[in-house]
Amino acid sequence: MVNGSAHDGDTVLTVRPELADEELNELFSASWPDHSPTAFAPLLARSLLWIAAHRDGRLVGFVNVVGDGGLHAFILDTTVHPDERRQGLGVRLVRAAADEAKAYGAEWLHVDYEPHLESFYGQCGFRPTAAGLMRL
């Protein structure tokens, strides 16, 4: 799916599509109760890639990948609309992001997650590791 689209039924995954703030904010507001409207263009301008999932013309999933300019990339903002959850879309998004990150030259893909998401990210191919985190 390098820089293209992949179809699975009615859902289309697209790499680095143009996305309006309105559609991203609509998805994030439905998915994250504490979401505040955000200008996404500055965030995506610093991203290595992102993948969007559309069904019937509506944004139903999103994942962002940022890179360090070298071998490491990081998954951020994995989001699936509540109406689309538990159908495999999140796993498809993250696996597609991993494939694309590899195509962009990354050799390591990192993700931070809360304990209740360990099984989900395990299904995506991640294994738990020790890591450090500092809140600033």
Side-chain angles (χ1 to χ4, degrees), residues 104-118:
Y104 275 76
E107 293 185 18
W108 295 97
L109 186 60
H110 305 257
V111 66
D112 292 328
Y113 53 83
E114 295 178 0
H116 71 277
L117 293 172
E118 185 171 343

Side-chain angles (χ1 to χ4, degrees), residues 19-35:
L19 296 170
D21 286 345
E22 294 78 20
E23 64 184 328
L24 281 162
N25 280 307
E26 182 179 325
L27 172 63
F28 276 63
S29 292
S31 302
W32 308 106
D34 295 332
H35 175 72

Side-chain angles (χ1 to χ4, degrees), residues 32-103:
W32 308 106
D34 295 332
H35 175 72
S36 297
T38 301
F40 285 93
L43 301 173
L44 296 180
R46 294 188 302 266
S47 296
L48 180 64
L49 66 107
W50 58 92
I51 298 180
H54 287 86
R55 180 188 298 271
D56 299 325
R58 183 177 127 215
L59 182 65
V60 295
F62 174 83
V63 65
N64 190 13
V65 180
V66 296
D68 69 349
L71 302 179
H72 296 267
F74 304 82
I75 293 279
L76 297 172
D77 301 327
T78 305
T79 303
V80 173
H81 192 282
D83 295 344
E84 303 288 329
R85 290 183 183 157
R86 307 227 181 278
Q87 300 175 48
L89 179 55
V91 172
R92 284 185 57 219
L93 279 165
V94 173
R95 286 182 179 167
D99 290 345
E100 290 298 318
K102 183 176 181 179

